[in-house]
Amino acid sequence: MNPAPIAPVMPAAIFALTLALLLLAPLAIAGVALINTGLGRSRSAAQSLLGNLAIVAVTAIVFAVAGAAWAGTTGLVDHSFQLAGKPWNWLGAGRLMLGGFGSAPPQTQLALLFEFLAVALAALVPWGSGADRWRLSAGCASAAVLAAIVFPLMAHWVWGGGWLAQLGVNFGLGAGFVDGGGAATVHMLGGLSALAVVWIAGSRKGKFPKEGFSTALPGHNAAYVLFGCLLALVGWLAWNVAGAVIWLHAPLAALPATAVNTLLSASGSLAATFTVTRVRFGKPDASLCANGWLAGLVASSACAGLITPGQALFVGLVTGIATPLLVEVLELALSIDDPSGAISVHAVGGLLGLLAVGIFVSQEGQLVAQLVGIATLLGVILPLVYLLFRLLNRVVPFRVDPDGERIGMDLHELGGGAYPDFVIHRDESYR
Amino acid sequence: MKYAGLLVMPAGFFLTIAALILFPAPAPRAAFVVCGLAVELLGLAVAVRGHMEARGESRP
């Protein structure tokens, strides 16, 4: 067990600013929750929104009990081993139940608060992909697994002075793997977890009929989705600026540019998605445009604090072109039923942002460091999440029974719908 | 088939780690890291293919 390197001391004014930003960051969680709910069906809306809330609660409790100890932050103790003459810092060794949190240095407390919000957002991402068939108890159990095991590993490697963060010191790869706003730790992790959930829970009944193309099951409330996008913007601005202060140790003068880059990335992405869907379908598609906006925000999480405004706009444009095309490919070509588009938005948006750091940050070896981080997510985190979820599925079955899927998750799991005045129509696919 | 793909993905990861340890020079190190990623993408493709085949068999 070794003490990790100490982070620079944070002045009081920057501490206060960062704390205020972190108190705004949950708006990103609220935005994603609204998007998850709006892109699902009306007969599952209450279950979806309650699930979002429950997942935030479960992750907070589990992360406080155990996850935070293993995630660690810079300046706390850790577990390391030696390989090829280099130290490989692989796990935090803090105290369970947030022991010592109150007496920790201010920047350590801020880092932990950031991680609390990050784990909640990471666990919310797959919830949208499992909409209309993923049971509430299974969603909460999966969130607990993410908060206890998977997120702490990745957070320690990237933010807690772990081996990915030390790639620069140990192997001369730029500044090591860099992820200021959680593109890897939150979004790629969440997006890959969404893929695991979709593989395990399967597609919605009637989505892929035996004959012909997949059936369109559009989201039930575009207003929720688009308002969620606006809320997410506020949360993301706070999130990326706070991340730049905490993880990149950015000076005050660099913070407005971080916010501008976040906005430009999202705007460029929306413009590109708007154009692509306008060209392909004759009219812009609201839900795909929302996906594009969110993907731009996700991509900015990796790079907003490190690139120029022009580069941020370029990253947004590329993300906005890729997102709607990927949503289509996943559904039509690969038979992946992802109602919220989380795999395209969070996994691929995060990946593009992480690559942008490697391409645009002119430090020798930075691109290789970013590639190693991406390889870790694909080669370790995805198989690990799939294995854990597969085991969990034996204990707490993910998929609701056919009757539950027929009547809707609200009536089946909660006994009442989100919109009691509405008439629930029988699903044509059950005839 | 899906499991085979998911087993190939960690193999690609270990290739990237081996590249870091075995190749101090930047060019071969970068080349082997890219090869590791390519192996991971191959594993992902196999896993996705396995999912598609399983879906095709269970279509209503």
Side-chain angles (χ1 to χ4, degrees):
Chain A
M1 206 183 290
N2 302 314
I6 306 292
V9 175
M10 182 180 279
I14 296 185
F15 174 82
L17 168 72
T18 313
L19 180 61
L21 289 168
L22 286 177
L23 298 180
L24 280 176
L27 287 174
I29 294 173
V32 170
L34 274 178
I35 292 167
N36 282 347
T37 302
L39 288 175
R41 305 177 86 176
S42 60
R43 59 189 182 188
S44 303
Q47 187 255 11
S48 173
L49 211 43
L50 177 63
N52 285 298
L53 205 54
I55 284 170
V56 172
V58 167
T59 53
I61 293 167
V62 174
F63 193 69
V65 170
W70 297 320
T73 58
T74 310
L76 299 179
V77 287
D78 57 65
H79 293 290
S80 296
F81 61 89
Q82 291 282 327
L83 179 65
K86 310 282 185 190
W88 295 75
N89 178 346
W90 70 282
L91 191 67
R95 286 158 58 188
L96 298 176
M97 287 299 296
L98 292 179
F101 177 66
S103 56
Q107 60 267 42
T108 303
Q109 295 189 23
L110 285 178
L112 271 171
L113 176 56
F114 190 101
E115 287 178 351
F116 265 97
L117 300 172
V119 68
L121 187 53
L124 276 192
V125 171
W127 181 245
S129 297
D132 302 321
R133 75 273 204 208
W134 198 12
R135 292 167 64 237
L136 189 54
S137 52
C140 291
S142 307
V145 167
L146 288 179
I149 301 169
V150 185
F151 177 85
L153 272 181
M154 199 63 203
H156 184 72
W157 295 345
V158 178
W159 291 334
W163 69 272
L164 279 174
Q166 298 297 317
L167 284 175
V169 176
N170 291 335
F171 296 101
L173 298 178
F177 181 67
V178 174
D179 177 20
T185 317
V186 176
H187 300 288
M188 272 198 77
L189 189 154
L192 294 174
S193 304
L195 180 61
V197 166
V198 169
W199 275 345
I200 293 168
S203 57
R204 288 169 290 177
K205 188 83 178 164
K207 179 68 186 173
F208 299 111
K210 203 171 183 68
E211 305 291 334
F213 293 113
S214 70
T215 312
L217 301 174
H220 84 282
N221 196 325
Y224 280 5
V225 176
L226 295 170
F227 182 62
C229 287
L230 288 172
L231 273 186
L233 172 66
V234 182
W236 242 274
L237 288 169
W239 200 292
N240 283 353
V241 175
V245 173
I246 295 171
W247 309 119
L248 306 178
H249 311 299
L252 274 176
L255 301 185
T258 303
V260 167
N261 289 345
T262 304
L263 182 60
L264 281 175
S265 178
S267 305
S269 188
L270 175 71
T273 306
F274 191 97
T275 309
V276 167
T277 55
R278 173 80 175 76
V279 169
R280 282 187 65 75
F281 311 126
K283 291 178 180 173
D285 182 287
S287 71
L288 284 174
C289 284
N291 278 339
W293 173 262
L294 201 58
L297 290 173
V298 168
S300 76
S301 290
C303 54
L306 298 163
I307 59 178
T308 65
Q311 290 165 345
L313 187 59
F314 177 75
V315 170
L317 288 170
V318 172
T319 310
I321 293 168
T323 301
L325 300 178
L326 260 168
V327 167
E328 212 173 320
V329 166
L330 287 182
E331 180 173 325
L332 298 181
L334 304 181
S335 299
I336 291 174
D337 181 17
D338 178 8
S340 66
I343 299 165
S344 312
V345 169
H346 294 273
V348 179
L351 184 141
L352 291 173
L354 291 169
L355 281 178
V357 173
I359 292 166
F360 293 125
V361 172
S362 54
Q363 209 168 351
E364 199 183 327
Q366 190 62 50
L367 180 57
V368 176
Q370 298 303 108
L371 290 177
V372 171
I374 292 166
T376 306
L377 283 153
L378 285 176
V380 179
I381 297 299
L382 176 58
L384 177 66
V385 170
Y386 185 78
L387 175 71
L388 292 171
F389 281 8
R390 196 86 212 179
L391 293 174
L392 189 64
N393 186 41
R394 291 177 179 271
V395 184
V396 190
F398 276 24
R399 193 180 180 104
V400 70
D401 57 56
D403 191 50
E405 202 176 350
R406 185 179 60 81
I407 63 173
M409 302 300 280
D410 284 358
L411 283 177
H412 183 71
E413 295 222 283
L414 308 179
Y419 313 103
D421 294 342
F422 285 12
V423 176
I424 306 281
H425 294 282
R426 193 169 70 165
D427 195 322
E428 293 298 315
S429 63
Y430 286 92
R431 280 186 177 169
Chain B
M1 195 159 166
K2 194 185 288 178
Y3 289 104
L6 286 165
L7 280 174
V8 170
M9 295 171 78
F13 167 72
F14 287 118
L15 196 57
T16 62
I17 297 299
L20 293 180
I21 295 169
L22 297 177
F23 299 106
R29 175 185 277 175
F32 268 78
V33 166
V34 170
C35 285
L37 260 174
V39 169
E40 291 183 355
L41 291 175
L42 189 69
L44 183 62
V46 171
V48 169
R49 184 79 191 160
H51 170 76
M52 288 168 66
E53 285 185 1
R55 262 230 49 74
E57 287 161 12
S58 65
R59 281 189 179 196

